[in-house]
Amino acid sequence: MDTYDVVVIGYGPVGQMLSAQLGQAGHRVAAFERHAQIYGLSRAGHMDDEIVRTLQKVGAGEEFREDAVAWELYDMRTKAFGGDLLLSLDWSVVGPHGWRSHWIFYQNNLELALNRQVQATGNVDVHMDTEAVGFEQDADGVTVTVRDRRTGAERTVRGRYLVGTDGANSFVRRHLGISATPGTLGPYQLVIDTLQKRPLSFEFDNGQFADPERPGCLFQLGKNHRRWEFTLLPGEKPEDFDLDRVWELLEPWVTPEDVEVIRCPVYRFAESMTDEWQRGRIFLAGDAAHTLWPFAGEGMCNGIRDASTLAWRLDLVLRGLAAPALLDSYEADRKPNMQGWTDLSREIGLPCIITDPEIAAQRDAQFKAVQQDPSLAPPLPVLPGPVAFARAGDDAAGLPASQFPVRVDGREGLLDDVVGCGFHLVTDDPAAVEALSPEQRGFLDSVGVRVVVVGPEGSGAPAVDVDGAYSGWLRSIGRTAVLARPDFWLFGGASSAQDTSALVQAFADALAGRTQGHGTAHSDHAVTA
């Protein structure tokens, strides 16, 4: 029986991202996918700067950007042609993670890029056309039975941990008997994905037309594909929308000479939150753990967040650098943030799918009033960051770990490219590093924490803060130093050079499964036990 560190069931973008990060960390992974080849039907189409940084981390970013399009402007209008403008958002800005804040892409190309990085590790065995049919866990691992769907032959493999990234109809979740709490059920939506036969451009593009006669949207899927979506009206049925009906809806924009229709399924918006994301040595991630409405474009993004949050925990536990209890904070870390995205996606979507003319008119009046007086706009929600593995009582804990350009030994670029990925202790005060004891510095080295001291040109700092962005960011959050996790969230921050020692101690305590503040900041056993 083949044995692995981790067995992954489901090899879409979430399973690929998890496999890539674990494989690059040197762990043996087996990934099983029931489809015969990488699934060729694109679903996701939007990515934010945090997830682009995650692609940067695994080496798939450059290939992704070859076809992806940085989203410039998001508009919402009352009609697709000649409608009134209700909302316009400038998305041409660079986000906190060093990349443009919004991207539109074709998922098939993303999966090919991720798969190439998985295969390059040499540590991941990918088995297509193979499905999991059973598993049992014990105190030391999980034994998984898989079936070759071509031959029907079954065999068993063994992993220290199992992760189900097998979608909304997850076999892993069902086999465990884990329930999911349903949320708001929305309308049916026709999704039409197309391949361009020639370059296309429209006066209104990459936005939402909130027309009560037929709500919908259109946007690019990278440089060569496009998507249209249409909300089904009351009384309409999914089976009404055959290919002839699809072309009727597309006729104002394109004909068969312009695009090829790749797929045109009808989905129903649905929310669900799995009640348990972990049972013993088995974890759920992505749609296996949660689903949400698509309007924020964050479904796949949140699955990738799950993968990144879980990957570094598994890495430290498998290498014996953290107590197994570290894994128990995975669900508590991710679930509040995921619920926030679920609520936000619904709130974004509800005004877009109104089919009652009177209600739509009230909505239009509200949006136009905000245009005249922006103070009438409701405050933007602040989604909770992960604080289940964080410094207790620290307001910086759970904030995004920003990425800016630095220059080290003549090499200039974004932080992760120049100094490497993983845990970062970043400060613009050399005294913060000097405040650490030799034991604490040794501890940071053992865990792989990269200590980055930034400063302006000519300051003698090892890393030149090219634009002064790091110092400005540290001042804006009231911190002298911050400890960033590998999934780009802050474990916490130090308010002074002396407080950096306590920050590192809290990190050591958390990894060891101790109550933070267990020992004195410089005691040998406190940082090494």
Side-chain angles (χ1 to χ4, degrees), residues 193-212:
D193 287 346
T194 68
L195 172 65
Q196 294 182 169
K197 295 181 178 180
R198 63 180 182 85
L200 299 172
S201 63
F202 308 111
E203 185 273 329
F204 172 48
D205 205 352
N206 296 323
Q208 195 84 28
F209 44 93
D211 183 351

Side-chain angles (χ1 to χ4, degrees), residues 406 408 411 414-421 424 450 452 463:
V406 296
V408 177
R411 183 186 179 194
L414 291 172
L415 180 75
D416 294 349
D417 288 335
V418 175
V419 307
C421 300
H424 292 153
R450 290 173 168 84
V452 184

Side-chain angles (χ1 to χ4, degrees), residues 13-14 44 46-47 51 105 107 110 298-305:
V14 179
H46 165 267
M47 186 180 295
I51 308 306
F105 68 97
Q107 182 178 325
L110 169 67
E298 288 286 338
M300 183 203 69
C301 294
N302 274 294
I304 289 178
R305 289 186 182 96

Side-chain angles (χ1 to χ4, degrees), residues 242-463:
D242 57 13
L243 191 56
D244 289 339
R245 186 74 180 98
V246 165
W247 281 116
E248 289 178 13
L249 290 168
L250 292 180
E251 191 273 334
W253 291 275
V254 290
T255 71
E257 295 183 355
D258 300 311
V259 299
E260 173 190 347
V261 173
I262 298 174
R263 69 182 198 119
C264 48
V266 174
Y267 294 112
R268 191 168 193 184
F269 303 154
E271 298 172 352
S272 67
M273 187 70 74
T274 299
D275 297 326
E276 298 174 66
W277 294 24
Q278 174 191 4
R279 185 169 292 176
R281 291 176 171 265
I282 303 172
F283 302 85
L284 299 173
D287 285 356
H290 45 73
T291 60
L292 73 170
W293 288 22
F295 286 95
E298 288 286 338
M300 183 203 69
C301 294
N302 274 294
I304 289 178
R305 289 186 182 96
D306 296 343
S308 294
T309 299
L310 192 52
W312 66 262
R313 286 172 162 84
L314 286 167
D315 172 48
L316 290 180
V317 172
L318 287 167
R319 290 194 289 141
L321 296 174
L326 173 65
L327 297 167
D328 298 339
S329 61
Y330 161 64
E331 178 180 343
D333 231 18
R334 284 289 303 128
K335 205 168 192 176
N337 179 260
M338 185 63 230
Q339 186 61 58
W341 278 115
T342 302
D343 296 339
L344 177 61
S345 297
R346 183 191 330 109
E347 293 306 308
I348 292 173
L350 285 171
C352 299
I353 57 175
I354 294 171
T355 57
D356 183 296
E358 291 186 7
I359 298 175
Q362 294 172 6
R363 173 206 61 202
D364 296 350
Q366 291 172 348
F367 273 92
K368 291 177 181 179
V370 170
Q371 289 178 354
Q372 296 298 317
D373 182 1
S375 68
L376 297 176
L380 293 174
V382 178
L383 303 184
V387 293
F389 181 84
R391 189 186 189 191
D394 188 339
D395 291 340
L399 294 177
S402 294
Q403 177 181 222
F404 303 110
V406 296
R407 185 168 63 251
V408 177
D409 296 330
R411 183 186 179 194
E412 183 173 321
L414 291 172
L415 180 75
D416 294 349
D417 288 335
V418 175
V419 307
C421 300
F423 288 100
H424 292 153
L425 179 64
V426 181
T427 182
D428 62 353
D429 184 358
V433 178
E434 295 168 2
L436 301 178
S437 70
E439 293 80 16
Q440 288 180 320
R441 295 190 194 191
F443 161 73
L444 294 177
D445 288 342
S446 71
V447 180
V449 177
R450 290 173 168 84
V451 177
V452 184
V453 180
V454 299
E457 187 81 54
S459 66

